[in-house]
PDB file of all heavy atoms in Angstrom:
ATOM      1  N   ALA A 209     145.385 104.301  29.562  1.00 89.00           N
ATOM      2  CA  ALA A 209     144.689 103.773  28.387  1.00 89.00           C
ATOM      3  C   ALA A 209     143.718 104.804  27.807  1.00 89.00           C
ATOM      4  O   ALA A 209     143.575 104.927  26.586  1.00 89.00           O
ATOM      5  CB  ALA A 209     143.951 102.489  28.749  1.00 89.00           C
ATOM      6  N   ASP A 210     143.047 105.572  28.689  1.00 89.00           N
ATOM      7  CA  ASP A 210     142.068 106.572  28.230  1.00 89.00           C
ATOM      8  C   ASP A 210     142.720 107.657  27.388  1.00 89.00           C
ATOM      9  O   ASP A 210     142.081 108.237  26.510  1.00 89.00           O
ATOM     10  CB  ASP A 210     141.365 107.200  29.434  1.00 89.00           C
ATOM     11  CG  ASP A 210     140.373 106.227  30.085  1.00 89.00           C
ATOM     12  OD1 ASP A 210     140.015 105.226  29.420  1.00 89.00           O
ATOM     13  OD2 ASP A 210     139.987 106.465  31.244  1.00 89.00           O
ATOM     14  N   LYS A 212     144.833 107.306  25.129  1.00 89.00           N
ATOM     15  CA  LYS A 212     144.911 106.854  23.731  1.00 89.00           C
ATOM     16  C   LYS A 212     143.616 106.177  23.297  1.00 89.00           C
ATOM     17  O   LYS A 212     143.576 105.532  22.249  1.00 89.00           O
ATOM     18  CB  LYS A 212     146.093 105.897  23.563  1.00 89.00           C
ATOM     19  CG  LYS A 212     147.446 106.561  23.777  1.00 89.00           C
ATOM     20  CD  LYS A 212     148.594 105.593  23.574  1.00 89.00           C
ATOM     21  CE  LYS A 212     148.729 105.164  22.136  1.00 89.00           C
ATOM     22  NZ  LYS A 212     149.918 104.325  21.888  1.00 89.00           N
ATOM     23  N   ARG A 213     142.587 106.311  24.130  1.00 90.00           N
ATOM     24  CA  ARG A 213     141.275 105.706  23.828  1.00 90.00           C
ATOM     25  C   ARG A 213     141.407 104.200  23.561  1.00 90.00           C
ATOM     26  O   ARG A 213     140.804 103.657  22.659  1.00 90.00           O
ATOM     27  CB  ARG A 213     140.624 106.410  22.640  1.00 90.00           C
ATOM     28  CG  ARG A 213     140.274 107.860  22.919  1.00 90.00           C
ATOM     29  CD  ARG A 213     139.590 108.562  21.777  1.00 90.00           C
ATOM     30  NE  ARG A 213     140.483 108.758  20.640  1.00 90.00           N
ATOM     31  CZ  ARG A 213     140.387 108.078  19.509  1.00 90.00           C
ATOM     32  NH1 ARG A 213     139.458 107.149  19.353  1.00 90.00           N
ATOM     33  NH2 ARG A 213     141.230 108.315  18.513  1.00 90.00           N
ATOM     34  N   ILE A 214     142.215 103.553  24.396  1.00 90.00           N
ATOM     35  CA  ILE A 214     142.424 102.109  24.277  1.00 90.00           C
ATOM     36  C   ILE A 214     141.600 101.395  25.345  1.00 90.00           C
ATOM     37  O   ILE A 214     141.600 101.795  26.521  1.00 90.00           O
ATOM     38  CB  ILE A 214     143.921 101.753  24.428  1.00 90.00           C
ATOM     39  CG1 ILE A 214     144.704 102.228  23.201  1.00 90.00           C
ATOM     40  CG2 ILE A 214     144.128 100.251  24.617  1.00 90.00           C
ATOM     41  CD1 ILE A 214     146.207 102.022  23.296  1.00 90.00           C
ATOM     42  N   ARG A 215     140.892 100.347  24.938  1.00 91.00           N
ATOM     43  CA  ARG A 215     140.129  99.529  25.885  1.00 91.00           C
ATOM     44  C   ARG A 215     141.001  98.387  26.383  1.00 91.00           C
ATOM     45  O   ARG A 215     141.655  97.706  25.589  1.00 91.00           O
ATOM     46  CB  ARG A 215     138.890  98.959  25.222  1.00 91.00           C
ATOM     47  CG  ARG A 215     137.791  99.995  24.925  1.00 91.00           C
ATOM     48  CD  ARG A 215     136.587  99.310  24.319  1.00 91.00           C
ATOM     49  NE  ARG A 215     136.945  98.581  23.101  1.00 91.00           N
ATOM     50  CZ  ARG A 215     136.248  97.563  22.612  1.00 91.00           C
ATOM     51  NH1 ARG A 215     135.180  97.114  23.229  1.00 91.00           N
ATOM     52  NH2 ARG A 215     136.615  96.994  21.473  1.00 91.00           N
ATOM     53  N   VAL A 216     141.005  98.170  27.685  1.00 90.00           N
ATOM     54  CA  VAL A 216     141.749  97.051  28.279  1.00 90.00           C
ATOM     55  C   VAL A 216     140.733  96.018  28.739  1.00 90.00           C
ATOM     56  O   VAL A 216     139.915  96.275  29.625  1.00 90.00           O
ATOM     57  CB  VAL A 216     142.627  97.506  29.462  1.00 90.00           C
ATOM     58  CG1 VAL A 216     143.397  96.321  30.026  1.00 90.00           C
ATOM     59  CG2 VAL A 216     143.582  98.604  29.026  1.00 90.00           C
ATOM     60  N   SER A 248     151.687  97.363  26.131  1.00 90.00           N
ATOM     61  CA  SER A 248     150.671  97.201  25.075  1.00 90.00           C
ATOM     62  C   SER A 248     149.895  98.487  24.858  1.00 90.00           C
ATOM     63  O   SER A 248     149.462  98.783  23.743  1.00 90.00           O
ATOM     64  CB  SER A 248     149.717  96.054  25.434  1.00 90.00           C
ATOM     65  OG  SER A 248     148.860  96.434  26.496  1.00 90.00           O
ATOM     66  N   ILE A 249     149.732  99.275  25.923  1.00 90.00           N
ATOM     67  CA  ILE A 249     149.039 100.567  25.798  1.00 90.00           C
ATOM     68  C   ILE A 249     149.947 101.587  25.113  1.00 90.00           C
ATOM     69  O   ILE A 249     149.533 102.305  24.202  1.00 90.00           O
ATOM     70  CB  ILE A 249     148.590 101.078  27.183  1.00 90.00           C
ATOM     71  CG1 ILE A 249     147.499 100.156  27.757  1.00 90.00           C
ATOM     72  CG2 ILE A 249     148.080 102.516  27.096  1.00 90.00           C
ATOM     73  CD1 ILE A 249     147.156 100.433  29.205  1.00 90.00           C
ATOM     74  N   ARG A 250     151.196 101.650  25.543  1.00 87.00           N
ATOM     75  CA  ARG A 250     152.132 102.646  24.991  1.00 87.00           C
ATOM     76  C   ARG A 250     152.383 102.435  23.502  1.00 87.00           C
ATOM     77  O   ARG A 250     152.523 103.390  22.751  1.00 87.00           O
ATOM     78  CB  ARG A 250     153.455 102.579  25.752  1.00 87.00           C
ATOM     79  CG  ARG A 250     153.382 103.211  27.142  1.00 87.00           C
ATOM     80  CD  ARG A 250     154.690 103.080  27.882  1.00 87.00           C
ATOM     81  NE  ARG A 250     154.619 103.752  29.173  1.00 87.00           N
ATOM     82  CZ  ARG A 250     155.534 103.636  30.126  1.00 87.00           C
ATOM     83  NH1 ARG A 250     156.593 102.863  29.920  1.00 87.00           N
ATOM     84  NH2 ARG A 250     155.410 104.290  31.265  1.00 87.00           N
ATOM     85  N   GLY A 252     150.409 100.445  21.542  1.00 86.00           N
ATOM     86  CA  GLY A 252     149.191 100.033  20.862  1.00 86.00           C
ATOM     87  C   GLY A 252     148.657 101.134  19.959  1.00 86.00           C
ATOM     88  O   GLY A 252     149.042 102.298  20.056  1.00 86.00           O
ATOM     89  N   ARG A 253     147.739 100.754  19.087  1.00 87.00           N
ATOM     90  CA  ARG A 253     147.135 101.714  18.162  1.00 87.00           C
ATOM     91  C   ARG A 253     146.111 102.565  18.901  1.00 87.00           C
ATOM     92  O   ARG A 253     145.332 102.063  19.720  1.00 87.00           O
ATOM     93  CB  ARG A 253     146.464 100.964  17.020  1.00 87.00           C
ATOM     94  CG  ARG A 253     146.005 101.887  15.884  1.00 87.00           C
ATOM     95  CD  ARG A 253     145.360 101.095  14.757  1.00 87.00           C
ATOM     96  NE  ARG A 253     144.074 100.557  15.168  1.00 87.00           N
ATOM     97  CZ  ARG A 253     143.729  99.284  15.046  1.00 87.00           C
ATOM     98  NH1 ARG A 253     144.564  98.407  14.542  1.00 87.00           N
ATOM     99  NH2 ARG A 253     142.535  98.868  15.434  1.00 87.00           N
ATOM    100  N   GLU A 254     146.112 103.864  18.629  1.00 88.00           N
ATOM    101  CA  GLU A 254     145.146 104.748  19.270  1.00 88.00           C
ATOM    102  C   GLU A 254     143.727 104.311  18.899  1.00 88.00           C
ATOM    103  O   GLU A 254     143.420 104.075  17.729  1.00 88.00           O
ATOM    104  CB  GLU A 254     145.383 106.196  18.823  1.00 88.00           C
ATOM    105  CG  GLU A 254     144.608 107.190  19.652  1.00 88.00           C
ATOM    106  CD  GLU A 254     145.144 108.603  19.517  1.00 88.00           C
ATOM    107  OE1 GLU A 254     146.293 108.771  19.062  1.00 88.00           O
ATOM    108  OE2 GLU A 254     144.388 109.537  19.867  1.00 88.00           O
ATOM    109  N   GLY A 255     142.891 104.182  19.932  1.00 88.00           N
ATOM    110  CA  GLY A 255     141.538 103.694  19.716  1.00 88.00           C
ATOM    111  C   GLY A 255     141.465 102.180  19.616  1.00 88.00           C
ATOM    112  O   GLY A 255     140.409 101.628  19.293  1.00 88.00           O
ATOM    113  N   GLY A 256     142.579 101.496  19.907  1.00 89.00           N
ATOM    114  CA  GLY A 256     142.633 100.034  19.790  1.00 89.00           C
ATOM    115  C   GLY A 256     142.234  99.322  21.076  1.00 89.00           C
ATOM    116  O   GLY A 256     141.549  99.884  21.945  1.00 89.00           O
ATOM    117  N   THR A 257     142.683  98.076  21.190  1.00 90.00           N
ATOM    118  CA  THR A 257     142.289  97.231  22.326  1.00 90.00           C
ATOM    119  C   THR A 257     143.492  96.449  22.851  1.00 90.00           C
ATOM    120  O   THR A 257     144.310  95.953  22.078  1.00 90.00           O
ATOM    121  CB  THR A 257     141.195  96.226  21.911  1.00 90.00           C
ATOM    122  OG1 THR A 257     140.095  96.943  21.347  1.00 90.00           O
ATOM    123  CG2 THR A 257     140.715  95.409  23.089  1.00 90.00           C
ATOM    124  N   THR A 258     143.570  96.339  24.162  1.00 92.00           N
ATOM    125  CA  THR A 258     144.527  95.447  24.826  1.00 92.00           C
ATOM    126  C   THR A 258     143.718  94.340  25.495  1.00 92.00           C
ATOM    127  O   THR A 258     142.781  94.629  26.251  1.00 92.00           O
ATOM    128  CB  THR A 258     145.358  96.200  25.880  1.00 92.00           C
ATOM    129  OG1 THR A 258     146.298  97.046  25.223  1.00 92.00           O
ATOM    130  CG2 THR A 258     146.125  95.227  26.759  1.00 92.00           C
TER     131      THR A 258
END
Side-chain angles (χ1 to χ4, degrees):
D210 287 343
K212 294 181 68 174
R213 295 182 292 108
I214 289 176
R215 289 182 303 157
V216 181
S248 72
I249 293 170
R250 285 178 177 169
R253 190 179 70 232
E254 192 162 342
T257 305
T258 287

